[in-house]
Amino acid sequence: MKTLPQLFTNNEHWRHQVEEEHPGFFRTLVGQQNPEFLWIGCADSRVPANEIVGLMPGELFVHRNVANLVHHTDFNLLSVLQFAVEVLKVKHVMVVGHYGCGGVRAAMEDQPHGLIDNWIRQVRELYLRHRKQLADLDPVARLDRMCELNVARQVINVSNTTVVQEAWRREQPLTIHGWIYGIGDGRLGDLGIEVDNNAHLRELESQEFEV
């Protein structure tokens, strides 16, 4: 007997709908995975990557974690990135944050949160560097701006990984993008951050995506 029967019922409806709209879709999907995009996003359940950009299964490779962070010691993320770049040959890596991110909010608070504080430490350090400039903003605007700054920081982090650096050395086309999503209106925004070589990376690093 299945537990959580509603989820299995939903799955039956979904797969029949997909097959009606795209006959043979699943048979084709079994034999290939050929996405051009890697999405590095937040684990927040309100940010469904494929649905936001209207792509079908097989068209978007996805990695998600709390606050869409890129740690150079996170072998889970690095393995996903390496597979995406070296095996799938994706052409675009999108770091996608979202406004009102709980992980970013926690990093801005002057109180302990337990284990998660170790994960979001780099966001905390980013906030402390910009704290004075952010002080004049109201709390909602301050959090939203920090979510944008965090995306910019993670674009830099992705670009500095050995995986991306090696791809650029062999002149593999690969662009890192910084985007942000609004849960309140469903709008995906482009922060105007695109890095496809080390010259662009150094320019972004020197600007430090100022407030």
Side-chain angles (χ1 to χ4, degrees):
M1 183 177 181
K2 293 186 178 72
T3 58
L4 302 176
Q6 186 58 49
L7 299 186
F8 288 94
T9 300
N10 293 348
N11 171 253
E12 286 297 307
H13 291 161
W14 172 75
R15 73 183 189 88
H16 285 301
Q17 181 179 350
V18 170
E19 191 64 28
E20 286 178 6
E21 295 175 356
H22 307 276
F25 175 80
F26 292 109
R27 288 194 302 274
T28 302
L29 193 63
V30 167
Q32 66 176 5
Q33 180 178 210
N34 192 34
E36 292 189 9
F37 315 102
L38 168 61
W39 173 293
I40 299 176
C42 184
D44 193 302
S45 62
R46 300 167 296 174
V47 189
N50 283 71
E51 293 181 33
I52 288 173
V53 289
L55 293 179
M56 295 289 287
E59 295 181 321
L60 185 67
F61 205 54
V62 178
H63 176 86
R64 298 169 67 178
N65 62 54
V66 174
N68 44 272
L69 299 186
V70 178
H71 289 283
H72 291 283
T73 54
D74 181 358
F75 290 104
N76 185 350
L77 180 144
L78 294 175
S79 297
V80 170
L81 181 62
Q82 182 180 29
F83 186 80
V85 172
E86 297 182 6
V87 178
L88 299 177
K89 307 294 185 185
V90 299
K91 295 181 174 63
H92 302 274
V93 176
M94 297 92 73
V95 177
V96 188
H98 67 92
Y99 292 121
C101 180
V104 174
R105 181 188 294 110
M108 297 169 66
E109 294 172 345
D110 294 321
Q111 64 183 47
H113 300 86
L115 183 63
I116 190 66
D117 288 333
N118 298 283
W119 178 255
I120 60 175
R121 182 63 198 178
Q122 64 161 298
V123 187
R124 175 71 177 172
E125 292 171 354
L126 182 66
Y127 170 62
L128 293 176
R129 284 204 301 273
H130 293 282
R131 195 171 193 170
K132 289 183 179 179
Q133 300 99 306
L134 293 165
D136 292 336
L137 301 176
D138 67 72
V140 173
R142 188 180 308 131
L143 173 57
D144 285 349
R145 186 56 176 154
M146 263 304 300
C147 292
E148 294 174 347
L149 290 170
N150 181 48
V151 168
R153 181 69 254 175
Q154 304 317 313
V155 168
I156 291 172
N157 288 351
V158 172
S159 301
N160 275 311
T161 61
T162 56
V163 174
V164 172
Q165 288 293 311
E166 287 298 324
W168 287 343
R169 284 192 189 96
R170 59 179 177 265
E171 298 184 348
Q172 178 179 338
L174 182 63
T175 304
I176 319 301
H177 307 263
W179 296 353
I180 194 137
Y181 176 69
I183 292 175
D185 59 12
R187 186 182 301 277
L188 185 63
D190 188 342
L191 292 175
I193 305 170
E194 288 190 5
V195 182
D196 61 8
N197 58 54
N198 277 316
H200 291 163
L201 173 58
R202 300 305 167 231
E203 182 179 349
L204 180 59
E205 288 176 323
S206 66
Q207 294 171 351
E208 293 187 0
F209 206 66
E210 291 296 341
V211 176

